[in-house]
Amino acid sequence: MKEINLIPNDTENLKKFIEDFSLLKSCGLDDGDIEVFSNGPILGTILVELTSNKESNSKLTFQILYDKILKFKELEQYELIKTTILVSNELSKRPADIDNWEKDKVLLQKLQVPSDFIDKFYTYLKEHSNPEKTYKQVFTDFQKTKSIEPKPSEKEHGGIFKNAGNVNYNDLLNKSIELEKPLLLYFTGYACVNARKIEQYVLSNNSIMEKLKNEFYFVNLYVDNKKSLPEDEQTKSKRNGKLIKYVGQKHSELQIDKFKNNFQPYFVIIDKNGDKIKEQGYTTDIVLFEKFLTLDK
């Protein structure tokens, strides 16, 4: 297939790349796949990995990109990722009209939003219905009312979801070795609705809670932590060259750079050598998550 030549900050070059990328539909990808992989963070993460791993004399082609996409599609959480992106994109365009609520709420249900959350939003929408605004805009206004799920309390569940703050990855790895437990990192966010759902419906399960407390060194890394980093820790991103000024940006960079993933909630188990053992994305299936936490002896 054709060689990929991306030129930074060249709008026409980027436009041509997207046009060429859409032609992958003829290779078996559907419109939904194209929309998913046209998503900036996902495509950007894949391209960074490919360009950083390819040999110096080799060329990056659409065939190489296509093969990587096929591997990504094999991930257990791909269908959930696909549904989330497609539905979110649809809501970002759909008018927030209460008269169409019965049809529109199906989209929220596809996102596996808890019924009580949908009820709260419906109550808000009845008073703020506005066909001139999209659901994305109204939902942003709704968030500002603080009617959404509250931030997790450090006291909840014995503080197990406590924000670890500004931590060093190697220090965490050394601590797990000292404790003789595998390191389990939980990449989450204060504004991540799915994180609150998995905490409420899965992680708070007694059996899973005991495993998290006793069998792992469990660390919560919030990617939207706005606490400033010390100046001597502020560095430029390897991906886009932007300055990493906040703790959350540091955690996000770690997740993308080391684990090639940019979704929350995201769980990854790491052994004493720093190698990834298992990874798990969002799920409300307790049995599936228990399987994830079960390691071969």
Side-chain angles (χ1 to χ4, degrees):
M1 285 189 183
K2 184 178 178 181
E3 182 180 356
I4 297 175
N5 289 305
L6 287 176
I7 303 174
N9 302 318
D10 188 325
T11 304
E12 288 302 315
N13 175 262
L14 179 59
K15 182 179 179 181
K16 184 66 172 63
F17 167 75
I18 293 175
E19 290 176 354
D20 290 339
F21 179 75
S22 66
L23 296 178
L24 291 178
K25 283 192 292 184
S26 64
C27 298
L29 300 183
D30 60 30
D31 289 333
D33 294 326
I34 294 296
E35 190 170 345
V36 168
F37 291 103
S38 296
N39 179 280
I42 295 180
L43 187 59
T45 299
I46 291 176
L47 288 173
V48 167
E49 181 179 0
L50 290 176
T51 54
S52 62
N53 290 339
K54 74 182 184 70
E55 298 178 3
S56 57
N57 295 325
S58 63
K59 297 179 179 179
L60 179 59
T61 66
F62 277 93
Q63 179 65 58
I64 294 173
L65 176 59
Y66 177 68
D67 291 341
K68 186 66 177 178
I69 286 174
L70 291 183
K71 288 184 178 180
F72 190 95
K73 287 186 63 178
E74 292 175 358
L75 295 174
E76 290 184 3
Q77 62 265 42
Y78 176 69
E79 286 305 318
L80 177 61
I81 292 172
K82 183 176 180 178
T83 297
T84 300
I85 290 176
L86 296 183
V87 171
S88 297
N89 288 349
E90 176 62 25
L91 288 172
S92 71
K93 299 178 291 185
R94 185 170 295 203
D97 188 344
I98 192 66
D99 291 338
N100 297 323
W101 173 249
E102 290 304 316
K103 291 182 179 179
D104 295 343
K105 76 174 181 180
V106 174
L107 293 175
L108 293 175
Q109 292 168 340
K110 286 184 178 180
L111 292 176
Q112 299 185 27
V113 176
S115 57
D116 59 338
F117 185 90
I118 294 177
D119 292 342
K120 290 179 182 178
F121 181 69
Y122 173 62
T123 300
Y124 179 85
L125 184 64
K126 284 193 294 185
E127 298 180 4
H128 299 84
S129 175
N130 186 347
E132 299 300 317
K133 285 188 174 184
T134 66
Y135 271 99
K136 181 178 180 180
Q137 293 170 315
V138 174
F139 186 74
T140 298
D141 295 338
F142 173 56
Q143 286 180 306
K144 292 177 182 178
T145 69
K146 302 188 183 299
S147 296
I148 60 172
E149 298 291 336
K151 294 181 181 180
S153 167
E154 294 183 0
K155 295 181 180 180
E156 288 180 358
H157 307 297
I160 194 170
F161 302 131
K162 179 180 179 181
N163 187 337
N166 180 24
V167 291
N168 179 276
Y169 174 71
N170 289 328
D171 289 343
L172 295 179
L173 187 58
N174 289 333
K175 181 67 175 179
S176 73
I177 294 173
E178 178 185 332
L179 295 173
E180 298 184 343
K181 296 179 179 180
L183 175 61
L184 173 50
L185 297 181
Y186 171 29
F187 290 91
T188 182
Y190 288 117
C192 181
V193 174
N194 281 346
R196 301 295 82 76
K197 286 163 60 180
I198 199 170
E199 288 164 13
Q200 180 179 357
Y201 299 112
V202 178
L203 303 189
S204 59
N205 173 271
N206 289 336
S207 175
I208 290 177
M209 185 73 68
E210 288 303 309
K211 283 181 176 289
L212 294 177
K213 289 180 178 179
N214 301 321
E215 299 181 19
F216 298 91
Y217 178 35
F218 182 57
V219 180
N220 300 258
L221 301 180
Y222 283 74
V223 300
D224 52 3
N225 185 341
K226 295 300 183 182
K227 184 175 181 180
S228 297
L229 287 167
E231 287 190 11
D232 60 353
E233 290 188 34
Q234 295 183 12
T235 59
K236 288 188 176 180
S237 169
K238 297 178 182 178
R239 298 177 294 111
N240 53 31
K242 293 183 179 180
L243 184 65
I244 299 174
K245 300 188 295 182
Y246 305 109
V247 172
Q249 289 177 300
K250 176 182 175 182
H251 296 333
S252 180
E253 187 79 1
L254 170 67
Q255 181 182 356
I256 296 172
D257 184 50
K258 190 165 184 64
F259 306 112
K260 314 305 178 187
N261 187 290
N262 193 31
F263 289 92
Q264 294 81 43
Y266 173 71
F267 302 82
V268 57
I269 301 174
I270 303 151
D271 67 16
K272 63 182 179 181
N273 299 315
D275 296 325
K276 178 174 66 178
I277 302 174
K278 284 184 175 181
E279 62 184 349
Q280 177 65 52
Y282 172 73
T283 181
T284 55
D285 188 331
I286 292 178
V287 174
L288 177 62
F289 201 84
E290 283 184 327
K291 182 179 179 181
F292 162 68
L293 295 178
T294 302
L295 302 180
D296 296 329
K297 300 296 184 182

